[in-house]
Amino acid sequence: MKFTLSWLQDHLATDAPLSAVLDAMTMAGLEVEHWEDPADKLKAFSVAKIISAERHPNADRLQVCQVETFEGMKEIVCGAPNARPGLTTVYAPLGTYIPGSGITLEPRAVRGVVSNGMLCSAAELETAEDSDGILELDDSLAVGTPAAAALGLADAVIDFEVTPNRPDWLGVVGIARELAAAGLGQLKDHSVKAVAGSFPCPVTVTIQSPEACPAFAGRLIKGVKNGPSPKWLADRLRAIGLRPINTLVDITNFISYDRARPLHVYDAAKLSGGIVARMGQTGESFVALDGKSYELSSAMCVIGDNSGALGLGGIMGGVSSGCSDDTVDVFVESALFAPLNIAQTARALSIQSDAKYRFERGVDSGFMVDGLELATAMILELCGGTASEVVVAGEVPAPPEAVPFATKEVHRLTGLDLSDGEIDTILSGLGFSPEVTGSGTRKVGVPSWRRDVVGSADLVEDIARIAGFDRLPTAKLPERKGRKEPLLTPAQNRVRVGRRSLAARGWMEAVTWSFASRATCELFGAAQGGGALVLANPIASDLDCMRPSALIHLLLAAQRNADRGFGDLALFEAGPIYKGDGPKDQEMVIAGVTCGAIRHWSGALKPDVFTVKADVLAMLDAMGASTGGMQTVQGARAWWHPGRSGTFKLGPKTILAEFGELHPRVLKELGVDGPVFGFELFLDALPPAKVKAGKTKAKLEASAFMPLTRDFAFVAKAELPAGDLIRAVAQVDKTLISDVSLFDRYQGQGVAEGEVSLGLEVALQPRERTLTDAEIEAVSTKIIAAAAKLGARLR
């Protein structure tokens, strides 16, 4: 919502500067988003007069001007074709920043003549997009007059955010009322006087759908003269970013911003029969004032006549009945429309308008006829004509019910100590009508523009807001006695540790949607898992299903980064996935994707299945997950590459994680360039961490003895997983064997067909004393025996 400071002063008697207005708005809860003061922007510029202008001695297209300025006479070089003696224009002294050209003036010679300032064009001051020469101002302006005042740009513009529950703030008078209640000034009389009609209104109004349009007021005005708006009205609309169209339309736009009352004017000569407020008909269409054609439905409120639809009620009028400079007779509409129907219609047709923005939040029902009277008075003043009597159809909703209120609620809910008199003053200033019903009790009448107030807590909020939130007392929370319970659960701690582990290994955390499209969810098994969890009211048509995998948006995010030149990245996210068709069928996961390559002096380091696997294992280790019985199985579900993926399992059924390369088919469906590697760790499947008494200290303390390694080459069946052999060897002596790793896998000459040679490096870490040869041989014998149980023999 935008307005100017002078516009506010039309309704608020105050001499407060802009800074005080901004502070008062902020303290009253009106969130100021932006403000701009043209006078401050143009404070260095002033009015000057050219006394003489002679051709530059070294340039045909330049003139050397003697200019009278607020600093005295200045010699200025000017290339404008309209520079001439006697011209009143705008002067910029040396050191001034010129916004239109982005330069700061310096004493610099122009073809041998030093220019002691600059004469400015509208484009250089950014008051117009282009200009043919320097500004030409009224000769009556005194030299030294600020340029902002001379150009009529001394009015500050304020833009603030309007919360959905305060539609009254969409009118300048509503803002003035708030600031007056806050003590910034006195609210001026803004009552509207009725305009007596000279003849009965010949245009009938019928309401066929009161659920969508409960009330409609209108009147005919004959003999108007339409055309460009007067300067004050056009300037006021331009200041807030609206384009003046013609006087009739500009009046409706002005009242919409001044009083939060949208109106519409019809060219009466283009109407066929009476006005009807009805629902649309399937297949019906009309061309709106934005030049687009819209298909209507039976769920949309339409204003029509015998010729068909004239416009969408409360949203936008149509071209067929629009006003032009040739309009002579006009019918003015001031109606009420159902907010929900307005919002649904605008969403279905993707229409945005100032009227829609106000009606969907709820306009003041008590100002329907007054808004029509105000528009009538302005049209008669600016366009002339004769007004008919007002015709009203339907029934205006009753005012809000009075709210019983105990003044002690202010202290109970906020801690503020305010007297009953202060409370009554604040309520009266905001437009409420407090009526004393007893000691400390009130019956508070609620104005028609504040239908958001339905209880005493709403009144307390307004009282605290105007009294000042800075006056709220502060108090410390009472200290909690006894033992403090941990703030995080073990599961939450695991997520925290897992995120830190991945971040330390170069992964970047992302936060993505929990929603996805149904087609995408089916790529990740939603159909097989009992059906997708489909949303009844999605925020967007392509976000209508809860994600069955956290990989979906990570893959899409990786591609968006790649499209913008950031193709080498690793993203992860911790969050829920939804596996069934019920809201409770969800599971906590940590998922990640990585793609691209890292430039390195030794060559490009590309991610692969094994780097992802190593990061997952490191994360599990950091979490303290008990994975002694974990198996690594080749292959994963359908969205993983069948030959380049794996699964971590505990037993035959429990899946801890899946990792590997994503299937090319899935990447193609998502529009993602491959290859992409990733993982998905299912936190709810992890076994709890186990700490064995008496052994933790030994594991954490560093040994004083040198470790030693022994290599073993085993021959086994080719189908034997290396991980099973490694796990069997590691279990031989957990206190002595610190690590087992695979360093060689060989098939070929010297090894029988169908068999494979696996080279293992076993690290032994003595803790109490140096190992003897006999002890080393004993461990080796146990290792060979453990391998033999899996069908592996020493090569």
Side-chain angles (χ1 to χ4, degrees):
M1 169 67 185
K2 288 184 178 181
F3 64 95
T4 63
L5 187 58
S6 65
W7 197 340
L8 175 69
Q9 290 168 343
D10 286 349
H11 298 290
L12 182 68
T14 181
D15 56 0
L18 175 63
S19 58
V21 172
L22 297 174
D23 289 343
M25 289 180 65
T26 300
M27 294 305 297
L30 287 83
E31 181 183 350
V32 177
E33 289 191 326
H34 178 73
W35 62 271
E36 183 177 349
D37 189 354
D40 184 65
K41 181 180 178 181
L42 301 176
K43 63 182 179 182
F45 301 87
S46 61
V47 172
K49 188 180 292 291
I50 300 176
I51 303 301
S52 66
E54 299 179 356
R55 197 177 75 174
H56 193 290
N58 301 318
D60 292 339
R61 295 187 178 182
L62 299 178
Q63 297 187 78
V64 179
C65 302
Q66 302 300 321
V67 182
E68 182 183 359
T69 73
F70 75 97
E71 298 175 315
M73 295 299 294
K74 296 288 183 179
E75 186 173 76
I76 298 175
V77 178
C78 182
N82 62 332
R84 61 185 184 274
L87 178 65
T88 302
T89 186
V90 172
Y91 160 71
L94 294 176
T96 301
Y97 174 77
I98 310 299
S101 58
I103 64 172
T104 299
L105 298 182
E106 298 177 355
R108 184 176 301 171
V110 181
R111 295 290 183 92
V113 179
V114 176
S115 183
N116 297 292
M118 182 177 180
L119 302 179
C120 303
S121 68
E124 287 162 338
L125 297 184
E126 292 188 335
T127 60
E129 294 184 2
D130 51 41
S131 53
D132 296 330
I134 58 177
L135 283 160
E136 298 190 16
L137 303 179
D138 191 334
D139 292 337
S140 63
L141 289 169
V143 171
T145 302
L151 296 171
L153 298 173
D155 207 0
V157 179
I158 302 170
D159 186 7
F160 75 101
E161 180 68 25
V162 179
T163 55
N165 66 318
R166 293 304 303 270
D168 57 307
W169 286 353
L170 291 169
V172 179
V173 68
I175 304 162
R177 184 186 299 111
E178 296 285 318
L179 296 179
L184 195 68
Q186 185 71 31
L187 186 66
K188 296 181 180 180
D189 181 18
H190 56 273
S191 58
V192 178
K193 295 181 179 179
V195 177
S198 303
F199 56 92
C201 181
V203 180
T204 61
V205 177
T206 305
I207 296 179
Q208 294 181 356
S209 303
E211 71 280 5
C213 177
F216 190 114
R219 78 187 324 163
L220 184 72
I221 303 178
K222 292 182 178 180
V224 301
K225 183 174 178 55
N226 198 16
S229 294
K231 186 176 184 302
W232 72 266
L233 179 55
D235 288 346
R236 184 151 287 184
L237 296 179
R238 286 194 193 98
I240 61 173
L242 295 181
R243 179 177 62 88
I245 299 173
N246 57 54
T247 306
L248 291 171
V249 175
D250 293 348
I251 287 173
T252 64
N253 287 335
F254 172 81
I255 295 176
S256 182
Y257 276 80
D258 189 66
R259 303 298 182 97
R261 160 37 69 180
L263 303 164
H264 188 66
V265 287
Y266 301 88
D267 188 330
K270 299 176 182 178
L271 298 178
S272 176
I275 296 289
V276 180
R278 57 176 174 82
M279 304 308 289
Q281 300 172 3
T282 303
E284 190 175 17
S285 66
F286 85 109
V287 179
L289 290 173
D290 61 2
K292 299 179 181 178
S293 178
Y294 295 98
E295 297 292 330
L296 308 180
S297 73
S298 58
M300 301 174 182
C301 182
V302 169
I303 304 300
D305 62 3
N306 293 342
S307 65
L310 300 174
L312 285 166
I315 299 177
M316 189 173 292
V319 172
S320 64
S321 58
C323 294
S324 66
D325 290 350
D326 299 327
T327 298
V328 176
D329 300 336
V330 295
F331 182 79
V332 187
E333 167 200 305
S334 180
L336 295 176
F337 299 97
L340 181 58
N341 183 268
I342 293 286
Q344 291 173 337
T345 300
R347 180 175 180 179
L349 297 177
S350 299
I351 297 181
Q352 295 293 333
S353 69
D354 285 339
K356 168 259 180 188
Y357 189 76
R358 286 159 172 76
F359 275 119
E360 70 180 355
R361 284 160 173 75
V363 300
D364 180 8
S365 58
F367 196 73
M368 184 184 76
V369 175
D370 284 348
L372 178 62
E373 299 284 9
L374 179 59
T376 302
M378 289 189 68
I379 291 173
L380 296 180
E381 178 184 355
L382 301 179
C383 301
T386 306
S388 75
E389 296 173 353
V390 174
V391 57
V392 178
E395 185 175 348
V396 177
E401 294 184 3
V403 175
F405 180 59
T407 55
K408 64 181 180 181
E409 287 294 285
V410 175
H411 179 78
R412 185 182 74 84
L413 294 176
T414 68
L416 287 172
D417 290 316
L418 301 177
S419 66
D420 288 0
E422 289 179 284
I423 292 173
D424 289 343
T425 299
I426 291 174
L427 290 175
S428 298
L430 292 174
F432 296 95
S433 303
E435 178 186 342
V436 179
T437 56
S439 178
T441 60
R442 303 286 188 272
K443 184 178 181 181
V444 179
V446 180
S448 56
W449 63 82
R450 289 301 307 275
R451 293 185 180 273
D452 60 302
V453 175
V454 295
S456 61
D458 297 321
L459 296 173
V460 171
E461 179 186 0
D462 272 337
I463 293 167
R465 181 172 56 83
I466 298 302
F469 288 133
D470 55 332
R471 293 175 58 182
L472 294 176
T474 59
K476 291 183 178 180
L477 292 173
E479 288 191 16
R480 186 174 180 178
K481 304 297 183 182
R483 178 177 176 272
K484 294 182 179 179
E485 297 295 330
L487 296 178
L488 298 179
T489 65
Q492 291 171 327
N493 268 320
R494 274 190 166 173
V495 173
R496 178 180 61 86
V497 172
R499 292 165 59 201
R500 286 192 172 190
S501 173
L502 288 173
R505 297 178 72 87
W507 293 73
M508 299 178 65
E509 186 171 9
V511 178
T512 70
W513 289 110
S514 292
F515 319 116
S517 68
R518 197 177 314 187
T520 302
C521 291
E522 289 174 356
L523 288 175
F524 288 82
Q528 295 94 327
L533 180 54
V534 180
L535 300 174
N537 186 25
I539 61 173
S541 59
D542 58 345
L543 297 173
D544 60 344
C545 186
M546 302 304 291
R547 65 184 184 188
S549 171
L551 294 169
I552 296 173
H553 286 294
L554 290 176
L555 288 168
L556 296 174
Q559 185 60 41
R560 284 195 297 272
N561 279 273
D563 292 341
R564 290 160 177 77
F566 301 98
D568 307 328
L569 79 166
L571 300 175
F572 80 92
E573 179 179 10
I577 61 172
Y578 303 83
K579 301 191 299 181
D581 56 3
K584 296 182 179 180
D585 295 333
Q586 57 179 306
E587 184 177 357
M588 193 70 180
V589 302
I590 298 179
V593 298
T594 179
C595 56
I598 301 172
R599 296 182 66 184
H600 194 265
W601 64 268
S602 62
L605 304 178
K606 296 184 178 181
D608 58 21
V609 175
F610 301 106
T611 56
V612 172
K613 176 184 177 182
D615 289 342
V616 176
L617 288 173
M619 179 171 51
L620 288 170
D621 183 62
M623 290 178 175
S626 179
T627 57
M630 186 176 73
Q631 297 176 326
T632 305
V633 180
Q634 184 175 352
R637 285 179 288 183
W639 50 93
W640 298 98
H641 195 298
R644 301 174 189 172
S645 59
T647 303
F648 291 140
K649 283 187 172 184
L650 278 180
K653 295 183 179 180
T654 305
I655 298 177
L656 299 183
E658 294 177 327
F659 63 91
E661 182 179 340
L662 275 298
H663 201 294
R665 173 184 56 83
V666 174
L667 297 181
K668 183 178 179 181
E669 291 285 341
L670 294 176
V672 177
D673 299 329
V676 180
F677 299 87
F679 70 87
E680 194 160 25
L681 175 66
F682 306 103
L683 293 167
D684 296 343
L686 291 180
K690 295 181 180 179
V691 180
K692 294 184 178 180
K695 294 188 177 181
T696 303
K697 184 177 180 181
K699 286 185 177 181
L700 295 178
E701 289 182 353
S703 174
F705 300 95
M706 287 289 293
L708 67 151
T709 60
R710 286 291 183 270
D711 294 344
F712 297 85
F714 293 104
V715 177
K717 295 292 185 182
E719 58 269 18
L720 176 67
D724 291 353
L725 182 59
I726 291 171
R727 188 163 47 253
V729 171
Q731 296 293 321
V732 167
D733 192 331
K734 295 181 180 179
T735 59
L736 186 58
I737 298 176
S738 59
D739 187 39
V740 181
S741 60
L742 177 71
F743 68 85
D744 181 56
R745 188 180 188 279
Y746 172 73
Q747 283 180 293
Q749 187 176 357
V751 177
E753 187 174 352
E755 292 186 328
V756 64
S757 174
L758 300 175
L760 301 184
E761 181 185 70
V762 181
L764 305 177
Q765 177 61 66
R767 297 191 176 277
E768 297 179 354
R769 54 185 173 79
T770 302
L771 297 177
T772 64
D773 290 342
E775 289 172 330
I776 295 172
E777 282 300 322
V779 174
S780 299
T781 301
K782 292 180 181 178
I783 289 173
I784 295 170
K789 293 180 180 179
L790 298 178
R793 64 184 186 280
L794 198 62
R795 183 175 174 185

